[in-house]
Amino acid sequence: MRMKNKFILDACCGPKAMWYNKNHPNAIYIDIRREESLGPHRPKQGVKPDYIMDFRKMDFLDKSFKLVVFEPPHLKSLGQNSFFRKKFGCLNAETWQGDLRKGFSECWRVLEDYGTLIFKWSDSEIPFKKVLALIDEEPLFYNTTNYKATSVTKWFCFMKIPK
Ligand SMILES: C[S@@+](CC[C@H](N)C(=O)[O-])C[C@H]1O[C@@H](n2cnc3c(N)ncnc32)[C@H](O)[C@@H]1O
């Protein structure tokens, strides 16, 4: 699958909370699920991807995007009825390492040479070093402010520099 003028991929968009424009004309949003609403407290918010697709096996050609953003679920021990699970999903406690490795590898495959991958991760349950150890690539840089303080969210920037 290749689409004209769609050169940004959000590989697991969830409710698109981080997006300024939640329907950016140059972006494709995918997620493994669709939710019309996040429930009575957030009736207008939902998970509304352009395509329901698994980041472990995407239907895009190699090198299709200039920018890929990957923010998988960060937590693996959420209750079945937790609002956080409904809003942001949950890692599978048994398979999360393989799932993240496959997801990252697919994000890398669909990224064009010299393209940028932004990986967003919250350290609250699984330290980011454990996640980076799963992948072959090394980030260029990440935010270090508030390290070991209250903010645990990290943004890692990778570039697909041909080897
Ligand atoms: C932390 S949320 C993303 C939040 C989003 N960046 C935002 O700004 O709101 C992670 C999302 O990954 C999705 N997800 C989990 N496993 C997936 C998979 N295998 N393929 C695609 N999406 C997946 C979940 O459904 C969830 O919506």
Side-chain angles (χ1 to χ4, degrees):
M1 194 192 298
R2 190 190 283 279
M3 276 153 286
K4 211 176 163 217
N5 291 331
K6 299 285 189 183
F7 44 81
I8 304 168
L9 173 69
D10 187 333
C12 41
C13 66
K16 306 179 188 167
M18 67 186 183
W19 281 83
Y20 272 80
N21 179 349
K22 297 185 194 307
N23 293 295
H24 194 284
N26 300 119
I28 292 182
Y29 302 88
I30 70 167
D31 202 286
I32 201 158
R33 67 198 167 114
R34 184 174 183 86
E35 306 272 2
E36 285 311 319
S37 144
L38 294 180
H41 302 300
R42 299 278 189 286
K44 289 186 185 158
Q45 278 183 34
V47 175
K48 296 174 183 170
D50 296 319
Y51 299 99
I52 294 181
M53 203 184 286
D54 190 332
F55 58 52
R56 295 168 298 184
K57 195 172 186 321
M58 296 187 212
D59 298 333
F60 301 115
L61 299 173
D62 294 358
K63 305 186 183 187
S64 293
F65 299 99
K66 294 180 184 302
L67 172 64
V68 175
V69 58
F70 184 41
E71 187 195 6
H74 318 128
L75 301 173
K76 56 184 163 70
S77 45
L78 286 169
Q80 284 304 321
N81 298 320
S82 134
F83 177 68
F84 237 76
R85 176 188 283 266
K86 178 117 176 145
K87 188 167 183 184
F88 295 122
C90 189
L91 292 170
N92 180 310
E94 265 84 57
T95 61
W96 67 270
Q97 288 106 324
D99 295 338
L100 294 183
R101 194 181 295 119
K102 282 185 202 157
F104 193 93
S105 156
E106 276 292 87
C107 289
W108 205 251
R109 178 183 69 75
V110 302
L111 188 61
E112 68 176 37
D113 289 346
Y114 303 102
T116 303
L117 169 62
I118 302 292
F119 174 61
K120 185 177 172 217
W121 183 256
S122 167
D123 254 3
S124 53
E125 202 178 307
I126 303 170
F128 74 85
K129 285 187 180 163
K130 281 198 175 175
V131 179
L132 293 186
L134 299 171
I135 61 179
D136 294 331
E137 310 304 329
E138 185 177 70
L140 294 173
F141 43 81
Y142 70 109
N143 59 306
T144 53
T145 45
N146 286 331
Y147 187 52
K148 290 185 181 160
T150 49
S151 171
V152 290
T153 299
K154 308 277 189 302
W155 296 78
F156 297 91
C157 177
F158 295 78
M159 180 176 269
K160 187 172 174 181
I161 301 170
K163 290 176 180 154

